[in-house]
Amino acid sequence: MMLRPPRVLLTYALLLALTAAKSAEGQDRGAAALDRLVHGLTATPRVLMIAAHPDDEDTQLITWLSRGRHVETAYLSLTRGDGGQNLIGNELGEALGAIRAQELLAARRVDGGRQFFTRAYDFGFSKTAEETFAHWDREELMRDVVTVVRAFRPHVIVAVFSGTPRDGHGHHQVSGILAREAYDASADTVRFPVEQYGPAWEVMKFYRGARFTGVQATLSFNVGEFDPIAGRSYAEIAAESRSQHRSQGFGVLQRRGVVMGAVARQASRVNEATPATSERSIFDGIDTSLTRLASALPTTSQELLRIARAHVDSAHAALDFRRPDGVVPHLAAAANAIADVRRAMPTCQLRVGYRRTPDFVNCTPAQLDADATVEQMHQRSAAALLTAAGVAVEATAERELLAFGDSMPATITVYNRGAQPVTVTAVRLNGYTRPLAAAVTILPDSAWRTTRTLVGLLDTRPWWIGGRKGDLFADKRSPADGLGRVSAVSTGLLRGVALREDVRKESEAAVEVQVAGATVASASEPVVYRFADPVLGEQNRPVGGAPAVSLSFDRGLEWMVANKPTDKLLRLTVQSYSTAARTYTLRVLAPAGITVDSATRTLTLDALETREVFVRLRGKLAEGRYEFGVVAEGEMGRYAEGFRTIEYSHINPIRLYRSSGVWLQAANVTVPAGLTVAYVQGVGDLSAAGLRQLGIPLTVVTPQELPLLDLTRFTTVIIGPRAYQASPELRAQNRRLLDFVKDGGTMLVQYGQQEMTRPGLMPFPVGMGRSVQRVTLEDAPVTVLDARAGVLTWPNRITEADWADWVQERSLYMPGEIDSRYETPIEMHDPGEPQNRGAILTTRYGKGTYVYTTLSLFRQFPAGVPGSARLFVNLLSQGRNPKAAPQRPRVQP
């Protein structure tokens, strides 16, 4: 069972709005940026790395290729990591996937790579490729991979994983399998028709990573090579990239000195006869020079490329970082020549208007390569010229969010920080280019500003959220959009596959500028709302659209005790994003058995006003799940959604959309009298609010508060999942917590990882065994070993029905070695694996009760699984059990 948002007027699904990501070039400035652009202008190879999740990528190889060898390098992640855990917050599922996608984009801004995704949803840990393919339709996912390959057109594919059981995680195995299959089949136009998947492309070489996969390396290279312009080695830069995966706790040291990377060649179409171990580069056998494009270009274009190459060589020789304007004439001449070549070429891409069947140019393989290569050179030459000339463009607006249909001014500023005049000829805003009535010349050390009207029609929600077919996100094609637009630079969507780093409609601006006789377009940059934070300084928020009014409850699910009168007060936050005052009528959708008391049924909001409305629910419900919601009706239509902003310092803000409704989950739960609970929250932990809703007096306590906390006020202390791993302060207070148990208290500890094996952390030792054990099948059988155990009988009798409708998994990081002083009332395991009794451990410790569970309650309880509520209450209540079964004699601690 998966918790879905309530349907309020045509089923509003959970949506996530991602703000814009800066381009990779935005990470470098000044000399480092100019050096990379000039030296990379005629570097033409393309490499695609393929793996399963955010944080699977080999950032060292990406950095060494992209920054060290100026290779156009991209990473294709099959998923966004939705099924992982979260060390920095409470977001899980699709919300976590949005965070991890942003972490990948942040990593690519550091290491210079590109980022692609397929439609695969990360459904959680899997042990085999077969199990994974049972969730992901193999042919559908393969189509996504081929779509990306044909759009990006790599010369080399590097699979991170081996595609064998050595990879461990079933997702890893599948990524290795599909990477090789894409190499073999990306040119198959019968299986993958051009009209649906783009022009056929044949990859020249296939490698696998050889650092951790057990694959024998055939080529090694020093990724610790030092870049004197950047002042760091590529391994150091890669470590910074790797450390962007903060939600997974992947911060690493930036190592100096020699650091070796390695790959293994497994297939080649260009140098099969050459022993793989004799290669000196992954491009051995591949012509990476511009001369390879001759067969695809007319004689005039070939001559223009020779001219461009000569000017680029001259720019290399003349480059003086103190006087970058010295290379402007050479870069301008190169940009002109490359632009002329581009204009004379066929564009080998799908072109889609308002028809379902796209027109496309039937290009030869050589033309496909030339199309991708020259387009890449065209973009790099424009960026290099503008950087050398000191031209900078910014676009700002007066606020971050604009109601759909409203408008506001956007100011576009062009700065000339160089040594010679530049001329602005046109301005582009949100895809519409308007030539200036008269070109404007900007002298050195000056700026020009213009104001344009920005209309709030841009919805910043990402394309992939809002529906899944099994564990693949829905294909969001529509008759109006056709198949999307695919090119070598990968802009847009094809078959719902993200062919751009972060696909969404966003406000963006660019200008066309004449520099030293060359007319080039600046890269599109987001229109931003700029403000100064008193602590963090300058902040820039990309501008996007929003509903005229949003309605948000604090939570998406409210627990109730079934068949028991309830009296709940829910807070509804109503926010106007309109620039005009508007009046709304609030309509309530409530289940039978619930009456609603709200003093506010008509609401007038001033421009941009926020109001809190309190809605009181009374009544009772039989066991089950019910929908409750509020809709605002106004002259402009109906509104039934809201959002909150997720902010972390290392990624762009995320707006989390959801329906303006909540699920009311009524469960038959008995809560014993006299409970008082102190809850130390763990990572990805949303359980405290639900326990309160069941009527349990609960205080959330931080680890820092523990030393001064009077524990005698509480009957039970709960430690959230992985809290010991995340908090040194909690580990330091553990002896005091165990003393609380010895003195008669109850302590419930939710799962941890290897830290739980540290001596003294648990009352009696446990071990993880030779490999971490987990039950990944959410419907795996549960065997009761002790039917009299208190955790299964009091205050709620746990039956087979309580193990139904679980989501993603049963249990994780289960100890395989368990001290005999623990009671283990249940056993569970995945098919074909040994039995494991590590899901629930209980023991008497002094006068009190200690309970350790590896059950994934942190997923089940927020998802509204009824059995998880009953189990949770039983586990935390055992110290109050008047009918506890006799315990075996214990060694007094």
Side-chain angles (χ1 to χ4, degrees):
M1 177 180 63
M2 180 66 69
L3 177 64
R4 297 294 188 192
R7 296 183 305 275
V8 178
L9 293 178
L10 303 180
T11 311
Y12 282 85
L14 177 70
L15 294 168
L16 300 167
L18 300 179
T19 61
K22 297 178 182 177
S23 63
E25 286 77 14
Q27 188 70 19
D28 283 339
R29 295 183 180 182
L34 184 57
D35 178 71
R36 187 158 72 94
L37 287 166
V38 171
H39 286 88
L41 216 163
T42 55
T44 63
R46 295 178 297 278
V47 174
L48 179 65
M49 181 178 293
I50 300 177
H53 309 107
D55 72 38
D56 284 346
E57 76 273 26
D58 185 343
T59 55
Q60 292 182 349
L61 180 55
I62 293 174
T63 307
W64 184 75
L65 286 171
S66 176
R67 293 193 174 274
R69 300 300 179 268
H70 312 295
V71 173
E72 187 80 345
T73 309
Y75 172 49
L76 171 58
S77 177
L78 298 187
T79 76
R80 291 173 171 78
D82 323 76
Q85 291 131 48
N86 185 359
L87 277 176
I88 61 174
N90 294 329
E91 299 83 9
L92 294 173
E94 292 172 347
L96 176 59
I99 290 172
R100 296 186 69 185
Q102 281 288 325
E103 289 180 333
L104 270 179
L105 297 174
R108 297 297 81 78
R109 291 195 290 272
V110 173
D111 59 39
R114 300 275 302 278
Q115 184 59 53
F116 301 128
F117 302 93
T118 74
R119 294 174 297 134
Y121 173 72
D122 180 354
F123 58 85
F125 188 82
S126 169
K127 295 178 180 178
T128 67
E130 292 74 20
E131 179 190 344
T132 300
F133 280 130
H135 287 263
W136 296 340
D137 184 292
R138 178 169 182 161
E139 191 66 10
E140 275 293 305
L141 192 56
M142 184 61 194
R143 291 166 184 162
D144 288 1
V145 175
V146 168
T147 298
V148 173
V149 170
R150 289 186 177 182
F152 184 62
R153 301 173 196 164
H155 299 101
V156 177
I157 286 179
V158 178
V160 173
F161 295 105
S162 70
T164 70
R166 287 198 304 265
D167 299 328
H169 200 317
H171 298 183
H172 296 168
Q173 297 175 47
V174 163
S175 73
I177 292 168
L178 295 184
R180 176 55 193 261
E181 192 172 346
Y183 170 81
D184 293 333
S186 61
D188 185 342
T189 57
V190 175
R191 184 178 175 190
F192 306 107
V194 172
E195 293 81 0
Q196 297 180 48
Y197 306 102
W201 178 255
E202 190 168 69
V203 182
M204 296 180 181
K205 301 179 75 175
F206 179 77
Y207 289 82
R208 291 197 189 274
R211 294 174 62 199
F212 310 111
T213 61
V215 176
Q216 183 65 41
T218 62
L219 177 67
S220 299
F221 35 84
N222 177 22
V223 297
E225 179 183 345
F226 181 69
D227 181 347
I229 304 300
R232 293 192 293 172
S233 72
Y234 302 119
E236 290 176 88
I237 298 171
E240 181 185 347
S241 171
R242 182 73 168 165
S243 297
Q244 301 308 305
H245 297 294
R246 297 183 190 177
S247 67
Q248 305 307 295
F250 273 26
V252 296
L253 294 173
Q254 297 185 19
R255 295 169 54 195
R256 296 178 174 86
V258 174
V259 179
M260 298 304 294
V263 293
R265 194 189 84 191
Q266 295 205 335
S268 174
R269 294 186 169 98
V270 291
N271 63 341
E272 303 95 320
T274 302
T277 53
S278 67
E279 287 191 332
R280 300 176 62 85
S281 165
I282 64 172
F283 302 113
D284 281 4
I286 301 174
D287 183 358
T288 60
S289 70
L290 294 179
T291 58
R292 78 174 191 277
L293 306 180
S295 64
L297 300 174
T299 302
T300 54
S301 293
Q302 296 177 43
E303 180 59 28
L304 286 169
L305 280 187
R306 283 192 288 270
I307 292 172
R309 179 61 200 244
H311 281 290
V312 171
D313 290 343
S314 297
H316 290 172
L319 187 57
D320 179 351
F321 295 122
R322 292 285 183 184
R323 297 285 306 274
D325 55 290
V327 300
V328 166
H330 294 299
L331 293 177
N336 269 335
I338 294 167
D340 287 343
V341 174
R342 189 67 180 124
R343 280 191 291 269
M345 292 176 59
T347 301
C348 305
Q349 62 187 19
L350 294 179
R351 295 174 176 174
V352 179
Y354 292 94
R355 295 177 296 172
R356 299 200 65 173
T357 303
D359 296 329
F360 63 92
V361 177
N362 188 15
C363 294
T364 67
Q367 287 174 323
L368 289 170
D369 188 22
D371 174 59
T373 299
V374 175
E375 177 63 30
Q376 173 184 305
M377 294 174 63
H378 184 54
Q379 293 188 7
R380 289 184 177 185
S381 64
L385 176 59
L386 294 176
T387 301
V391 175
V393 181
E394 67 179 22
T396 59
E398 60 192 21
R399 62 182 181 276
E400 181 179 357
L401 291 174
L402 181 64
F404 301 136
D406 282 356
S407 63
M408 66 178 173
T411 300
I412 301 168
T413 306
V414 183
Y415 296 92
N416 181 1
R417 298 183 289 186
Q420 55 187 286
V422 300
T423 301
V424 181
T425 60
V427 173
R428 185 171 74 246
L429 181 63
N430 290 342
Y432 296 97
T433 300
R434 293 184 179 179
L436 299 182
V440 176
T441 298
I442 308 173
L443 298 176
D445 295 322
S446 59
W448 171 76
R449 290 178 176 83
T450 185
T451 300
R452 296 287 189 270
T453 299
L454 185 65
V455 179
L457 298 175
L458 299 169
D459 193 338
T460 56
R461 307 171 198 219
W463 64 271
W464 72 89
I465 305 294
R468 293 202 305 269
K469 181 181 179 181
D471 285 315
L472 290 179
F473 286 105
D475 185 336
K476 297 298 183 70
R477 288 180 295 179
S478 69
D481 293 331
L483 293 171
R485 179 176 180 269
V486 181
S487 72
V489 294
S490 303
T491 56
L493 295 176
L494 180 68
R495 299 188 58 259
V497 179
L499 298 179
R500 178 174 158 179
E501 287 86 343
D502 187 16
V503 176
R504 66 208 162 282
K505 298 175 181 177
E506 63 186 16
S507 300
E508 58 183 14
V511 296
E512 290 183 2
V513 183
Q514 290 179 352
V515 182
T519 300
V520 296
S522 68
S524 294
E525 294 291 341
V527 181
V528 299
Y529 166 59
R530 175 176 295 172
F531 65 97
D533 183 279
V535 176
L536 301 176
E538 180 177 314
Q539 301 293 296
N540 292 284
R541 301 293 187 88
V543 172
V549 64
S550 70
L551 304 93
S552 302
F553 286 103
D554 291 341
R555 290 171 292 274
L557 181 137
E558 293 282 333
W559 282 95
M560 302 171 58
V561 177
N563 301 306
K564 181 179 179 181
T566 188
D567 189 340
K568 284 182 175 288
L569 196 63
L570 304 183
R571 179 173 59 184
L572 178 70
T573 301
V574 186
Q575 166 75 58
S576 169
Y577 294 97
S578 175
T579 54
R582 295 184 181 181
T583 298
Y584 301 96
T585 299
L586 301 184
R587 307 288 186 191
V588 175
L589 173 67
I594 293 293
T595 60
V596 179
D597 177 18
S598 173
T600 304
R601 289 302 175 95
T602 300
L603 190 65
T604 298
L605 296 176
D606 291 334
L608 308 178
E609 182 184 2
T610 300
R611 191 87 61 87
E612 290 184 349
V613 176
F614 290 90
V615 182
R616 192 167 192 174
L617 278 64
R618 297 177 179 175
K620 61 182 179 179
L621 295 171
E623 186 171 31
R625 178 172 296 175
Y626 304 85
E627 181 183 358
F628 174 82
V630 177
V631 176
E633 297 179 350
E635 60 182 17
M636 303 298 291
R638 293 180 172 182
Y639 303 90
E641 59 187 350
F643 62 83
R644 66 183 180 90
T645 301
I646 300 172
E647 297 188 67
Y648 294 105
S649 61
H650 65 303
I651 60 174
N652 287 327
I654 301 168
R655 287 188 287 275
L656 179 67
Y657 275 78
R658 69 183 182 196
S659 160
S660 59
V662 296
W663 289 115
L664 303 179
Q665 182 68 56
N668 287 319
V669 181
T670 299
V671 176
L675 283 176
T676 52
V677 174
Y679 198 122
V680 181
Q681 292 181 302
V683 302
D685 190 356
L686 295 170
S687 297
L691 293 175
R692 281 200 191 106
Q693 292 162 17
L694 291 175
I696 299 174
L698 183 146
T699 301
V700 174
V701 179
T702 67
Q704 293 77 16
E705 293 171 329
L706 279 175
L708 301 177
L709 186 68
D710 180 8
L711 293 178
T712 62
R713 295 166 41 203
F714 303 98
T715 61
T716 306
V717 173
I718 301 176
I719 306 298
R722 295 176 69 180
Y724 285 111
Q725 179 188 17
S727 174
E729 295 86 355
L730 177 60
R731 296 196 296 271
Q733 290 296 310
N734 193 61
R735 174 46 55 189
R736 184 164 180 257
L737 293 174
L738 291 179
D739 286 344
F740 163 77
V741 180
K742 286 169 61 176
D743 292 338
T746 299
M747 187 172 175
L748 167 60
V749 179
Q750 298 176 67
Y751 93 99
Q753 296 185 349
Q754 292 292 341
E755 71 276 6
M756 302 309 298
T757 65
R758 295 181 184 181
L761 203 60
M762 293 177 65
F764 310 113
V766 298
M768 291 295 179
R770 289 183 296 178
S771 62
V772 172
Q773 299 182 48
R774 56 202 302 171
V775 180
T776 62
L777 297 182
E778 61 269 28
D779 56 355
V782 177
T783 301
V784 175
L785 303 178
D786 182 1
R788 299 174 57 212
V791 292
L792 301 180
T793 57
W794 191 88
N796 301 283
R797 180 165 294 279
I798 302 303
T799 68
E800 186 176 348
D802 292 302
W803 300 104
D805 297 326
W806 282 44
V807 298
Q808 186 162 321
E809 61 199 352
R810 286 271 197 224
S811 186
L812 60 171
Y813 295 94
M814 305 168 73
E817 300 166 0
I818 302 171
D819 190 281
S820 62
R821 287 168 285 187
Y822 289 108
E823 299 288 344
T824 54
I826 62 173
E827 186 279 326
M828 60 178 66
H829 60 275
D830 280 333
E833 296 194 350
Q835 295 185 356
N836 191 297
R837 299 176 294 114
I840 299 176
L841 281 63
T842 66
T843 187
R844 297 289 296 179
Y845 188 67
K847 301 176 182 178
T849 302
Y850 181 94
V851 181
Y852 179 69
T853 182
T854 60
L855 293 172
S856 60
L857 296 177
F858 73 101
R859 293 195 194 278
Q860 314 309 322
F861 194 51
V865 176
S868 69
R870 293 158 55 81
L871 272 164
F872 216 145
V873 171
N874 281 17
L875 295 175
L876 64 88
S877 303
Q878 284 313 294
R880 312 289 294 176
N881 186 354
K883 300 179 181 179
Q887 300 284 331
R888 295 197 305 264
R890 298 286 184 215
V891 177
Q892 180 68 25

